[in-house]
Amino acid sequence: MAKESVKQRNLNIEVLRIIAMFLIVACHATLHLPWLLHVDSNLDFLPGWKSALAYAVVQYGQVGVSIFFIISGYFLVRKAFVWQRIFKTWFQMFCYSFVSLVIVLIVARFVALPDSIAPLLSGDDFGRTVLWSTVPFIYGSYWFITAYICLLLLAPFINCLFKYLPRQYMTALIALLSFFSVWILLGGRTTPWNNVVYAILGYVTGGWIRLYWQEVNDKIRTWHLWGIIIFSTSLMIIFNHYAADRTWLATILGWPEQIKPGIQILPMLIGAALFILFTKLDMTNIQGFGHALVLKTASATFGIGRGLRTFSWRLSERFLVCSVLRSVRGRWSYTSQRR
């Protein structure tokens, strides 16, 4: 990778953090606005390119998540383990979650809650809601914070692999974890792929880029990286279209049930290509106020990304969407999956 100053390289990555945050926001917006998802009255997706494109937007939210995992690996692969990093992660999540929950409780005093939310804020469920919002790592109320904290706990062991194993072995590990991500698409009903494995793959990818990219930098051009992004995005959309059509082969392989996650290695490929491209950008012209604004905005993006996954934020999100749809359409039927 080009030898840039740490300050300049960090600014490039901070801009990428902001973009990743917007990708995640776009994913959540698409998931909670049914007319964008091209669904029927039962919220089942319909065949056609509109569904394929809509779910590509959803899957690009995973590109944003992959970028965050890659950035973590890139910066932590050479750092020692510290407990404060885990506490800081939990505390930042707690602040976003608590504020979101308070907002819902205040608004609920003036507006009737949707049927999918009201039971969660009354009786015994209210206590569980508070616990799920404040200690999600223990209660598993949403996947990202659990996976990320597990990743932080595993980071020193992964770093030992980088220290004592040659590049070929770490490349093979990335290939193996990538295969786990497509296992389910081969017609299986069980898979070793899960959220923690996903986080580990992103971390290992970021660490590999940090330690080994200079060795292959001369062999891979910028147009190769853009080719990866374009090809992966095209394959993502084609898969979504084929899965949405529910053809006999897609049905046998179980692809209609996989239209939301899609081909899960593709967001990681796109995220890695974007990460490398951004480290190559020349941002020396961003100075003064612009430089400070980028760094300040980026410092909040990871917390916002975590906040978008908190249980109480999902309550706020669903409550607002339900209220808007009721006022526009006069009716709203929303089925939430309770975790």
Side-chain angles (χ1 to χ4, degrees):
M1 192 172 293
K3 292 184 178 180
E4 304 166 305
S5 68
V6 174
K7 180 179 179 180
Q8 181 59 41
R9 182 166 58 239
N10 288 355
L11 180 63
N12 294 359
I13 294 175
E14 299 312 308
V15 172
L16 184 60
R17 287 184 197 268
I18 297 172
I19 294 174
M21 178 195 67
F22 280 110
L23 291 176
I24 294 171
V25 171
C27 166
H28 280 255
T30 304
L31 280 174
H32 291 87
L33 296 174
W35 59 81
L36 292 179
L37 275 181
H38 192 48
V39 295
D40 59 20
S41 58
N42 295 320
L43 297 182
D44 292 327
F45 59 85
L46 300 172
W49 289 107
K50 185 175 180 180
S51 285
L53 292 171
Y55 277 100
V57 174
V58 173
Q59 290 154 13
Y60 253 81
Q62 293 304 310
V63 173
V65 174
S66 298
I67 289 171
F68 281 127
F69 286 141
I70 290 170
I71 291 174
S72 297
Y74 185 84
F75 284 111
L76 297 181
V77 70
R78 288 179 172 173
K79 291 186 177 181
F81 175 81
V82 290
W83 285 104
Q84 291 87 338
R85 190 174 293 122
I86 295 177
F87 175 79
K88 181 180 178 181
T89 299
W90 172 84
F91 184 72
Q92 192 174 15
M93 173 280 308
F94 169 79
C95 291
Y96 281 97
S97 181
F98 183 76
V99 170
S100 299
L101 183 60
V102 169
I103 290 174
V104 171
L105 293 175
I106 292 175
V107 174
R109 295 180 62 88
F110 304 97
V111 183
L113 292 171
D115 294 338
S116 61
I117 295 177
L120 301 176
L121 298 175
S122 61
D124 294 337
D125 281 345
F126 177 72
R128 282 189 285 268
T129 298
V130 173
L131 289 174
W132 293 340
S133 298
T134 54
V135 284
F137 179 62
I138 297 176
Y139 285 85
S141 56
Y142 60 96
W143 73 269
F144 181 79
I145 195 65
T146 300
Y148 188 72
I149 292 180
C150 286
L151 178 62
L152 293 179
L153 292 170
L154 292 170
F157 304 99
I158 301 173
N159 292 349
C160 285
L161 295 179
F162 274 109
K163 184 176 181 180
Y164 294 108
L165 294 180
R167 188 187 80 186
Q168 292 80 358
Y169 280 74
M170 299 310 298
T171 304
L173 177 60
I174 292 175
L176 178 61
L177 296 177
S178 300
F179 174 71
F180 288 166
S181 72
V182 299
W183 188 312
I184 194 69
L185 301 179
L186 303 179
R189 289 296 177 265
T190 60
T191 174
W193 180 260
N194 56 46
N195 297 327
V196 176
V197 175
Y198 174 31
I200 292 173
L201 175 58
Y203 186 98
V204 175
T205 300
W208 194 99
I209 294 172
R210 178 69 179 271
L211 299 178
Y212 305 129
W213 181 254
Q214 288 186 2
E215 301 177 21
V216 299
N217 183 50
D218 294 337
K219 300 177 182 178
I220 300 179
R221 306 297 185 209
T222 298
W223 70 267
H224 291 142
L225 298 172
W226 281 113
I228 291 173
I229 294 171
I230 295 172
F231 175 78
S232 298
T233 302
S234 300
L235 185 58
M236 184 184 294
I237 295 172
I238 292 171
F239 172 84
N240 293 345
H241 182 270
Y242 192 74
D245 281 348
R246 296 182 176 89
T247 63
W248 68 271
L249 180 59
T251 302
I252 290 175
L253 295 175
W255 289 359
E257 289 78 21
Q258 297 300 316
I259 191 171
K260 179 181 175 181
I263 305 175
Q264 297 186 69
I265 188 55
L266 296 182
M268 188 66 69
L269 284 174
I270 296 171
L274 285 172
F275 181 87
I276 296 169
L277 284 170
F278 267 80
T279 61
K280 294 174 176 289
L281 290 179
D282 181 10
M283 293 190 174
T284 55
N285 60 325
I286 301 179
Q287 300 293 336
F289 175 76
H291 186 279
L293 180 62
V294 168
L295 295 181
K296 197 69 175 179
T297 304
S299 65
T301 55
F302 201 19
I304 292 174
R306 287 195 288 261
L308 285 172
R309 289 169 178 81
T310 60
F311 188 77
S312 53
W313 179 273
R314 290 204 298 269
L315 292 180
S316 307
E317 189 176 59
R318 294 176 182 180
F319 173 74
L320 294 174
V321 170
C322 288
S323 300
V324 170
L325 291 180
R326 278 177 172 172
S327 63
V328 173
R329 295 184 171 183
R331 63 183 179 86
W332 169 249
S333 175
Y334 183 85
T335 304
S336 62
Q337 181 180 359
R338 181 175 171 184
R339 294 186 180 181

